[in-house]
């Protein structure tokens, strides 16, 4: 399809895509935890989304629409390319796809996340800061605090699990 | 799920994001997710939470952490207490660097929206070059089907556009416009509606990636299979439609017979269910969940015929069927006629006044017909009768005719009337009136008027847009001997001429009639007149006359 960059719908498309691409890509990456493959699929998905953008109803959930297309692109990809490297097998992938409605949610999780982050202990917050703000690897943090990486992974996993439980509770309430 | 399992998934997921997961650990994660939908859900939740957290980390963390910059021992003490109930921690030892999986950071954004026009152009050119290379290197694949008909078909591969009659090779096809009828080597006939992307897999199977198809599978082609992203339909001698959306969701409906619907991806456990006639199913592209849905009669194009322009979605109204006493949808009978004198529809053996082989004078005026959709029949003649409807519409240009007729208007291969000279109906050596090719025989001089208003009233959800038919004089009528068969044909709407064929004879090319109809049009009239003052063997016929609906 010819991408006429002057067309108003192209601008609308780009605006919607910019606002939602992270969610769509996050979905693809969760299903295909390989950035190279995920990027290929994302590219195919966004092209197909543009081709069929006329079918998208403005005001509806754009990321859900994109994810619905991405699902098929993921299946297509594996059907054509087969499974190589660290990729989920078909049963695991179908289970993941079957539970992927989570990615379509329009809940505002950021406020919930902020609320839950406040409830963490100081050192837990500090760990997340080192990881997400300073960009330290788990191994580096482990060396700094004189712990094993596997131990630290369990700690970080535990913190994420606490956050997740809190967010769920927060969203329900 | 127990806490241990949750903890394992969380650790593996974080390691996966960090690209430090070992193949063994990934295999374990895969195994947990493949056997447990809850685990899959938890994994998704975690991936989403991490993604959200990464997006908002700065904003959230920096407003919270403040001056607390040292990780204190108390924290580790507390964690140690927590860890007592957790699985054993590995003995502290230097951890070898994992061989990282070649992945990029999750923070990276997808490429597509960053494309500059130049990048897009470069990418397009690269893709084109690649396509050329692929074409050059592509092996010659076996033929599995033929393009048996098409209407305004356009294909994405303009240099390899198939023409009607061409054989088609295995591989991917992309029908971008129009309709195509593909006959598989094993006998299944599939009508494909654009846009559709599909693979011809074998003489007995196809993969429908997206789009709509209708498959007609004779009993000789049982087992024909349509694979889709979410399901497979294995035919058991039937006709069915399949519609695959871009998300892999598949709707299928059975027009006749039955089929097996097989659900499940490659490599997965599959389930199947029998789908019977007039049943429809939806298979969710995401979950594979199957549910019953309502049949939609107009959803699929089921027949096409480029000669007559026929695009049949099940709803077009057959005028032949009406003359056969039906409602236009196939409830009528074959071998029926309308008596020109009393307007009664009757079947084989009808012989009210006729002694055979002679002109029947009159009736002078219209004869109302005992069918709600057929207003009247009449013998057209400039002097004796120009009226064509019960509301008084007149055919003002009606030519002067003998004012008599020979055969009643009939449907079927030949007139069911006793005493009449039997003749079959052919156009271009194709027999009409039988073998699924409906025809209305209107031997001169005769006219028939259909009541469009009544038809609309009976079918309020439809919009009648046109009258279509093929018209001609049967091949087997006399031509070229001492006596020549020639006739005129007229299509009227509310008495106004909308189409005509003057001086038509058996060797004339059949005329394709396509008369546009508007909502306000009340009556459609078909008339044949003798043209030369002789009605002998004026075996005029309307082949597959239909009211096209939307």
């Amino acid at each position: 399809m010819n991408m006429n960059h002057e067309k108003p719908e192209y601008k609308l498309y780009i605006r919607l895509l910019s606002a939602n691409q992270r969610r769509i890509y996050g979905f693809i990456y969760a299903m295909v935890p390989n950035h190279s493959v995920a990027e290929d699929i994302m590219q195919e998905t966004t092209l197909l989304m543009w081709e069929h953008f006329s079918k998208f109803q403005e005001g509806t959930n754009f990321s859900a629409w994109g994810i619905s297309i991405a699902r098929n692109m993921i299946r297509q990809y594996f059907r054509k390319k087969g499974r190589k490297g660290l990729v989920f097998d078909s049963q695991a992938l179908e289970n993941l796809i079957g539970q992927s409605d989570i990615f379509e949610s329009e809940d505002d999780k950021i406020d919930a996340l902020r609320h839950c982050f406040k409830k963490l202990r100081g050192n837990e917050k500090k760990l997340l800061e080192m990881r997400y703000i300073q960009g330290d690897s788990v191994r580096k943090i482990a060396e700094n605090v004189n712990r094993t990486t596997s131990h630290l992974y369990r700690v970080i996993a535990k913190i994420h699990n606490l956050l997740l439980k809190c967010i769920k509770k927060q969203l329900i309430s | 799920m127990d806490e241990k399992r949750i903890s394992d998934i969380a650790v593996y997921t974080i390691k996966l994001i960090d690209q430090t997961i070992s193949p063994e650990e990934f295999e374990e994660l895969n195994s947990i997710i493949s056997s447990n939908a809850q685990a899959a859900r938890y994994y998704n939740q975690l991936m989403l939470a991490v993604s959200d957290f990464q997006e908002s980390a700065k904003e959230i963390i920096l407003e919270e952490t403040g001056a607390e910059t040292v990780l204190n021992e108390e924290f580790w003490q507390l964690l140690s207490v927590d860890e007592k109930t957790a699985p054993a921690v590995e003995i502290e030892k230097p951890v070898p660097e994992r061989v990282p999986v070649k992945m990029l950071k999750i923070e990276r954004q997808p490429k597509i929206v960053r494309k500059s026009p130049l990048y897009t152009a470069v990418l397009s050119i690269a893709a084109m070059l690649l396509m050329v290379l692929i074409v050059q290197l592509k092996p010659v694949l076996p033929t599995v089907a033929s393009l048996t008909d098409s209407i305004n078909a356009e294909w994405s591969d303009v240099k390899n556009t198939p023409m009607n009659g061409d054989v088609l090779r295995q591989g991917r096809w992309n029908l971008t416009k129009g309709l195509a009828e593909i006959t598989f080597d094993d006998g299944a006939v599939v009508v494909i509606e654009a846009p559709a992307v599909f693979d011809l897999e074998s003489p007995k199977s196809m993969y429908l990636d997206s789009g709509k198809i209708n498959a007609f599978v004779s009993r000789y082609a049982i087992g024909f299979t349509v694979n889709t992203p979410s399901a497979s339909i294995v035919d058991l001698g039937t006709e069915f439609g399949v519609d695959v959306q871009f998300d892999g969701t598949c709707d299928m409906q059975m027009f006749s017979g039955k089929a097996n619907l097989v659900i499940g991806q490659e490599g997965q456990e599959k389930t199947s269910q029998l789908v019977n006639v007039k049943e429809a199913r939806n298979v969710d592209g995401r979950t594979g969940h199957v549910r019953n849905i309502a049949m939609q009669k107009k959803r699929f194009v089921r027949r096409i015929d480029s000669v007559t322009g026929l695009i049949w979605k099940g709803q077009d109204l057959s005028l032949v069927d009406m003359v056969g006493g039906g409602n236009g949808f196939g409830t009528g009978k074959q071998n029926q006629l309308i008596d020109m004198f009393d307007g009664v529809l009757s079947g084989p053996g009808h012989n009210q006044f006729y002694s055979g082989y002679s002109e029947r004078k009159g009736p002078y005026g219209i004869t109302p017909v005992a069918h709600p959709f057929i207003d009247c029949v009449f013998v057209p003649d400039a002097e004796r009768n120009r009226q064509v409807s019960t509301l008084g519409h007149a055919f003002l240009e009606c030519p002067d005719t003998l004012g008599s007729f020979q055969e009643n208007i009939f449907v079927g291969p030949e007139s069911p009337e006793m005493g009449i000279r039997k003749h079959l109906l052919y156009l271009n050596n194709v027999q009409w009136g039988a073998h699924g090719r409906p025809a209305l025989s209107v031997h001169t001089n005769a006219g028939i008027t259909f009541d469009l208003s009544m038809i609309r009233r009976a079918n309020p959800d439809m919009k009648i847009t046109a009258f279509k038919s093929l018209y001609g004089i049967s091949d087997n009528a006399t031509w070229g001997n001492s006596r020549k068969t020639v006739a005129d044909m007229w299509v009227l709407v509310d008495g106004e001429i909308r189409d005509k064929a003057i001086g038509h004879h058996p060797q004339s090319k059949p005329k394709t009639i396509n008369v546009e109809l508007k909502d306000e049009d009340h009556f459609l009239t078909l008339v044949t007149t003798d043209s030369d003052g002789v009605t002998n063997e004026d075996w005029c016929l309307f082949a597959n006359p239909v009211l096209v609906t939307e």
Side-chain angles (χ1 to χ4, degrees):
Chain A
M1 171 172 281
N2 178 30
M3 284 195 185
N4 185 341
H5 295 207
E6 298 306 314
K7 288 168 75 175
E9 56 265 44
Y10 181 74
K11 289 177 183 170
L12 173 64
Y13 174 71
I14 289 301
R15 183 170 64 73
L16 288 168
L17 185 62
S18 300
N20 292 278
Q21 63 172 326
R22 190 180 185 91
R23 180 60 66 92
I24 297 167
Y25 184 73
F27 161 73
I28 296 171
Y29 182 76
M31 304 297 111
V32 188
N34 177 317
H35 283 289
S36 174
V37 174
E39 285 183 5
D40 284 349
I41 294 172
M42 181 70 185
Q43 185 154 324
E44 293 298 317
T45 300
T46 50
L47 283 171
L48 198 61
M49 285 167 70
W50 168 240
E51 280 182 23
H52 297 279
F53 187 52
S54 58
K55 293 176 185 169
F56 172 72
Q57 291 185 325
E58 200 177 346
T60 60
N61 187 337
F62 185 82
S63 64
W65 180 66
I67 285 168
S68 70
I69 290 173
R71 281 189 197 105
N72 201 29
M73 300 308 294
I74 290 167
R75 288 184 175 127
Q76 248 187 56
Y77 180 89
F78 286 123
R79 189 172 176 273
K80 285 182 197 165
K81 303 271 175 97
R83 288 181 160 74
K84 294 171 191 167
L86 290 185
V87 292
F88 292 113
D89 66 25
S90 57
Q91 182 61 56
L93 182 63
E94 286 309 314
N95 273 0
L96 290 172
I97 287 176
Q99 299 294 332
S100 61
D101 56 302
I102 290 159
F103 290 89
E104 299 172 8
S105 161
E106 291 183 296
D107 291 335
D108 184 6
K109 292 194 178 68
I110 302 304
D111 280 346
L113 192 57
R114 183 180 282 112
H115 172 83
C116 293
F117 185 77
K118 283 179 183 170
K119 290 189 166 186
L120 293 176
R121 288 177 287 188
N123 283 347
E124 290 169 337
K125 291 175 185 170
K126 185 64 193 171
L127 265 182
L128 294 184
E129 182 190 337
M130 292 169 80
R131 180 175 164 77
Y132 290 113
I133 303 294
Q134 296 169 17
D136 292 343
S137 69
V138 173
R139 188 176 172 220
K140 186 181 173 188
I141 301 170
E143 283 172 358
N144 284 347
V145 298
N146 199 26
R147 293 293 188 278
T148 64
T149 50
S150 60
H151 183 199
L152 207 62
Y153 266 120
R154 289 214 169 270
V155 172
I156 291 171
K158 186 183 171 66
I159 296 170
H160 280 91
N161 194 36
L162 283 172
L163 279 174
L164 202 56
K165 281 182 182 171
C166 174
I167 291 166
K168 276 194 234 173
K169 199 174 166 186
Q170 193 66 18
L171 290 175
I172 291 167
S173 66
Chain B
M1 281 194 304
D2 60 27
E3 288 298 318
K4 157 86 167 70
R5 186 47 61 95
I6 289 172
S7 174
D8 286 343
I9 297 169
V11 169
Y12 294 149
T13 303
I14 302 290
K15 286 187 172 183
L16 189 62
I17 292 167
D18 282 1
Q19 303 149 43
T20 56
I21 194 168
S22 70
E24 295 76 23
E25 287 170 328
F26 184 81
E27 184 50 44
E28 175 66 12
L29 177 64
N30 183 81
S31 171
I32 295 169
I33 289 172
S34 67
S35 61
N36 189 329
Q38 265 189 303
R41 191 163 192 82
Y42 179 71
Y43 166 89
N44 280 343
Q45 286 170 335
L46 204 53
M47 288 295 269
L48 181 60
V50 170
S51 176
D52 286 345
F53 197 71
Q54 283 175 332
E55 191 174 11
S56 314
K58 272 191 181 173
E59 183 190 337
I60 293 172
I61 294 174
L62 291 181
E63 72 183 29
E64 277 297 311
T65 50
E68 203 174 356
T69 54
V70 179
L71 290 166
N72 63 45
E73 192 59 32
E74 186 194 358
F75 172 66
W76 298 109
Q77 293 291 342
L78 286 167
L79 284 179
S80 296
V81 173
D82 291 342
E83 288 293 311
K84 283 178 185 172
T85 54
V89 174
E90 285 175 21
I91 298 167
E92 225 169 293
K93 60 184 179 184
V95 180
E97 186 84 39
R98 293 256 184 234
V99 177
V101 183
K102 288 184 179 177
M103 299 188 213
L104 304 175
K105 288 287 181 189
I106 198 168
E107 288 81 4
R108 286 187 56 178
Q109 296 299 309
K111 290 178 280 191
I112 183 67
V113 294
R114 287 184 185 161
K115 282 180 186 174
S116 66
L118 179 63
Y119 180 48
T120 307
V122 169
L123 201 66
S124 303
I125 291 166
M128 282 171 63
L129 291 173
L130 185 65
M131 285 298 291
V132 169
L133 190 64
I134 289 168
V135 169
Q136 285 174 346
L137 298 177
K138 202 161 73 174
V140 177
L141 296 166
T143 59
V144 295
S146 304
L147 181 68
T148 42
D149 204 352
S150 64
I151 295 178
N152 300 325
E154 290 183 19
W155 304 80
S156 63
D157 186 356
V158 291
K159 288 185 178 173
N160 191 27
T161 296
M163 304 299 288
N164 291 354
D166 281 358
V167 293
L168 303 176
R169 295 188 183 279
Q170 201 178 55
R172 174 144 291 206
W173 296 85
N174 185 350
L175 182 67
T176 55
K177 281 187 181 174
L179 300 157
E181 181 194 81
I182 291 176
T183 302
F184 283 75
D185 287 356
D186 271 16
V189 180
V190 176
V191 175
I192 300 167
E193 291 181 66
V197 179
F198 59 94
D199 293 337
L200 297 178
E201 294 183 324
S202 76
K204 59 170 65 174
S205 70
M206 68 178 292
Y207 177 83
L208 180 61
D209 192 71
S210 62
K212 285 201 285 186
I213 65 131
N214 184 81
F216 179 77
V217 185
S218 72
R219 62 193 177 94
Y220 301 106
I222 287 175
F224 178 74
T225 302
V226 178
N227 296 305
T228 77
S230 54
S232 296
I233 298 99
V234 183
D235 188 83
L236 301 172
T238 61
E239 185 178 2
F240 60 88
V242 184
D243 184 354
V244 177
Q245 306 294 316
F246 286 96
D247 65 355
T249 294
C250 167
D251 287 356
M252 64 89 64
Q253 58 185 47
M254 301 301 307
F255 294 110
S256 64
K258 54 191 172 184
N260 261 332
L261 178 65
V262 183
I263 304 105
Q265 299 293 312
E266 283 179 23
Q268 279 189 278
E269 189 177 336
K270 291 179 166 52
T271 59
S272 73
Q273 56 179 262
L274 199 63
V275 184
N276 290 303
V277 63
K278 294 183 180 175
E279 290 182 350
R281 299 282 190 277
N282 165 275
V283 184
D284 188 290
R286 180 167 59 83
T287 62
H289 178 71
V290 183
R291 64 188 176 96
N292 294 342
I293 55 173
M295 285 278 286
Q296 295 177 50
K297 289 182 179 178
K298 291 172 74 174
R299 188 162 182 176
F300 298 94
V301 174
R302 298 166 61 184
R303 300 283 186 279
I304 63 172
D305 187 335
S306 57
V307 175
T308 61
L310 173 68
I311 300 172
W312 189 61
K313 301 184 85 169
Q315 279 76 23
D316 282 353
L317 289 148
S318 167
L319 301 186
V320 169
D321 188 58
M322 292 177 195
V323 176
N327 61 6
F329 295 127
T331 57
K333 298 176 187 172
Q334 276 280 73
N335 303 314
Q336 298 287 301
L337 62 80
I338 300 175
D339 191 301
M340 298 290 286
F341 286 100
D342 61 17
V344 172
L345 281 66
S346 47
H350 179 86
N351 186 16
Q352 194 166 359
F353 303 112
Y354 192 51
S355 57
Y357 303 104
S358 62
E359 297 286 338
R360 288 184 268 194
K361 291 287 182 186
Y364 302 123
I366 60 163
T367 304
V369 174
H371 188 293
F373 298 164
I374 304 172
D375 183 59
C376 63
V377 290
F378 56 90
V379 174
D381 183 28
E383 288 181 15
R384 300 177 184 87
N385 178 43
R386 298 188 187 204
Q387 189 176 341
V388 296
S389 80
T390 51
L391 292 184
H393 292 88
F395 178 21
L396 296 177
E397 297 84 354
C398 181
D400 194 12
T401 70
L402 280 179
S404 61
F405 73 100
Q406 286 200 12
E407 290 180 297
N408 287 305
I409 293 170
F410 70 87
V411 297
E414 58 186 6
S415 173
E417 192 169 5
M418 285 176 67
I420 200 80
R421 181 185 168 194
K422 301 297 181 187
H423 62 86
L424 299 176
L425 301 168
Y426 294 90
L427 289 179
N428 276 357
N429 296 317
V430 174
Q431 189 186 353
W432 287 89
H435 311 301
R437 297 189 188 89
L440 185 62
S441 173
V442 187
H443 192 142
T444 59
N445 294 300
I448 179 169
T449 295
F450 296 88
D451 191 332
L452 300 175
S453 293
M454 288 297 289
I455 294 168
R456 287 193 197 95
R457 196 176 300 174
N459 303 283
D461 295 329
M462 286 182 194
K463 181 179 174 66
I464 297 170
T465 59
F467 164 66
K468 284 189 178 182
S469 180
L470 195 65
Y471 166 77
I473 300 178
S474 186
D475 295 349
N476 49 343
T478 304
W479 175 254
N481 298 324
S482 57
R483 191 176 59 203
K484 294 184 177 180
T485 297
V486 63
D488 300 335
M489 179 279 297
W490 315 83
V491 178
L492 315 175
V493 175
D494 295 337
E496 299 287 334
I497 298 170
R498 293 292 181 87
D499 204 353
K500 61 185 177 183
I502 305 298
H504 218 77
H505 55 77
Q507 291 185 336
S508 300
K509 183 184 174 187
K511 177 179 175 59
T512 299
I513 303 168
N514 186 355
V515 173
E516 184 186 358
L517 295 172
K518 294 189 169 67
D519 288 345
E520 56 268 28
D521 294 333
H522 195 141
F523 295 109
L524 171 73
T525 303
L526 311 179
V527 188
T528 60
T529 52
D530 57 44
S531 189
D532 56 357
V534 179
T535 62
N536 289 343
E537 297 191 10
D538 283 352
W539 296 333
C540 305
L541 69 138
F542 293 87
N544 196 24
V546 294
L547 296 175
V548 179
T549 61
E550 283 182 357

